[in-house]
Amino acid sequence: MEKLAAERKEQVLDNKFCQKLAEEFNCSAGRAGSKVLQATQVQGWFLNKFPVSATKPTCVPTISQEKPLAAEVNVSVSEKKSAASEEKLSPLDTSISNNEDEVSPVFPLETTDKIPDLEELEFEAKSSKDSAWYDIALFLAHRRNRAGEIEVRVRFEGFGADEDEWVNVKKCIRQRSIPLESSQCRSIVEGDLVLCFREGNEEALHFDAHVLEVQRKQHDIRGCRCIFLVEYDHDRSQERVSLRRLSRRPKYL
């Protein structure tokens, strides 16, 4: 893998190249009986191994049916078109304090995102099994339900075909949420919809939640120490969490 990256450089992030490489791995004798390796996992390996020379791969929907889905998905999610981009921030206070009760006097401004090109869009879907949101690896097929609404069959990132689901495009498909850096805590305010990583005894999943309260604290060498009281939308339970467990929704210019 390292030799391929050195020889082919940017080519290792090409979707077709990663798909072919994944198929070769899956057919090898050494992976007999192992879980099927996805092309997106191969791309992720190259990105993690060579982050300086690589760029984040795009997850462009692909369709196995004879009718193209791209136009219909584009129409359904056009109102939510946005993606992570350059953040417009004011200088951050770099002072360090170990006093948990001291509030930082300077915070970065709220961030906005530029509207991306279609090929840059990545999506996440809400599972009907647990109400959690998962990144989409592939769009496999589409159909209309009895109410005339469009549904798509998706494959979730990191999961096999046995976990594929039919989901409603309008209600359960949206552009991916964006993980937050420590310097971006000021962009989260009371009332915001966020995607929160919830850790339980048997599972750790991402759920929609609304911010009820924010306790601003002085940042230290470990980064943001602010505390966010959130209420999960699916069961109305509340929890106090740190910034590292939150992802924000894309914001328009």
Side-chain angles (χ1 to χ4, degrees):
M1 296 279 277
E2 295 181 0
K3 183 178 179 181
L4 283 174
E7 293 176 350
R8 306 203 179 191
K9 298 181 178 179
E10 289 81 2
Q11 184 184 355
V12 298
L13 296 182
D14 181 75
N15 288 336
K16 292 183 179 179
F17 177 82
C18 291
Q19 182 63 44
K20 182 178 179 181
L21 191 58
E23 291 174 356
E24 291 178 359
F25 276 124
N26 292 329
C27 293
S28 64
R31 289 191 57 82
S34 301
K35 189 174 182 179
V36 176
L37 184 67
Q38 304 294 326
T40 52
Q41 293 174 290
V42 176
Q43 284 180 322
W45 186 92
F46 283 121
L47 280 173
N48 292 332
K49 192 68 176 178
F50 303 97
V52 176
S53 60
T55 57
K56 185 177 180 181
T58 57
C59 181
V60 181
T62 58
I63 306 304
S64 60
Q65 298 291 314
E66 66 279 8
K67 293 173 63 178
L69 176 63
E72 295 187 45
V73 171
N74 184 35
V75 171
S76 300
V77 301
S78 61
E79 296 182 355
K80 297 183 179 181
K81 287 181 63 178
S82 181
S85 62
E86 298 179 358
E87 308 292 351
K88 299 178 181 179
L89 305 176
S90 66
L92 177 67
D93 178 19
T94 56
S95 62
I96 296 176
S97 171
N98 290 321
N99 185 351
E100 296 186 11
D101 297 322
E102 183 181 352
V103 179
S104 176
V106 180
F107 288 95
L109 297 176
E110 183 176 348
T111 62
T112 55
D113 305 308
K114 295 180 179 179
I115 298 178
D117 295 330
L118 178 61
E119 61 269 17
E120 296 176 352
L121 291 176
E122 296 180 313
F123 300 93
E124 60 191 18
K126 184 178 181 180
S127 171
S128 60
K129 298 178 180 178
D130 52 23
S131 296
W133 290 87
Y134 299 86
D135 289 344
I136 296 176
L138 295 171
F139 288 85
L140 302 171
H142 73 289
R143 68 187 183 189
R144 287 188 181 273
N145 60 22
R146 294 181 179 178
E149 298 175 325
I150 300 175
E151 296 180 334
V152 290
R153 189 168 182 81
V154 298
R155 179 157 301 163
F156 298 118
E157 190 97 28
F159 292 85
D162 56 330
E163 298 293 338
D164 293 349
E165 280 191 47
W166 285 100
V167 295
N168 186 290
V169 169
K170 186 176 181 179
K171 300 176 182 178
C172 300
I173 300 286
R174 68 188 185 189
Q175 190 183 343
R176 286 189 186 180
S177 301
I178 305 170
L180 287 154
E181 301 291 340
S182 291
S183 61
Q184 299 172 323
C185 65
R186 187 64 177 180
S187 66
I188 301 299
V189 298
E190 294 178 7
D192 277 356
L193 169 66
V194 294
L195 188 66
C196 186
F197 183 63
R198 184 177 185 178
E199 300 174 283
N201 295 329
E202 299 180 357
E203 58 185 9
L205 303 171
H206 289 87
F207 294 101
D208 274 346
H210 279 80
V211 179
L212 301 182
E213 177 186 309
V214 181
Q215 295 180 9
R216 304 292 182 187
K217 294 183 179 293
Q218 175 73 31
H219 292 193
D220 63 13
I221 195 171
R222 293 170 293 180
C224 176
R225 300 185 66 187
C226 300
I227 302 298
F228 302 83
L229 175 63
V230 301
E231 181 178 88
Y232 294 102
D233 289 1
H234 69 291
D235 64 2
R236 301 303 176 188
S237 62
Q238 297 182 7
E239 185 179 10
R240 295 187 183 276
V241 301
S242 61
L243 185 74
R244 67 181 179 83
R245 290 175 55 183
L246 302 180
S247 294
R248 68 175 175 86
R249 298 299 302 133
K251 297 180 179 179
Y252 297 102
L253 289 171

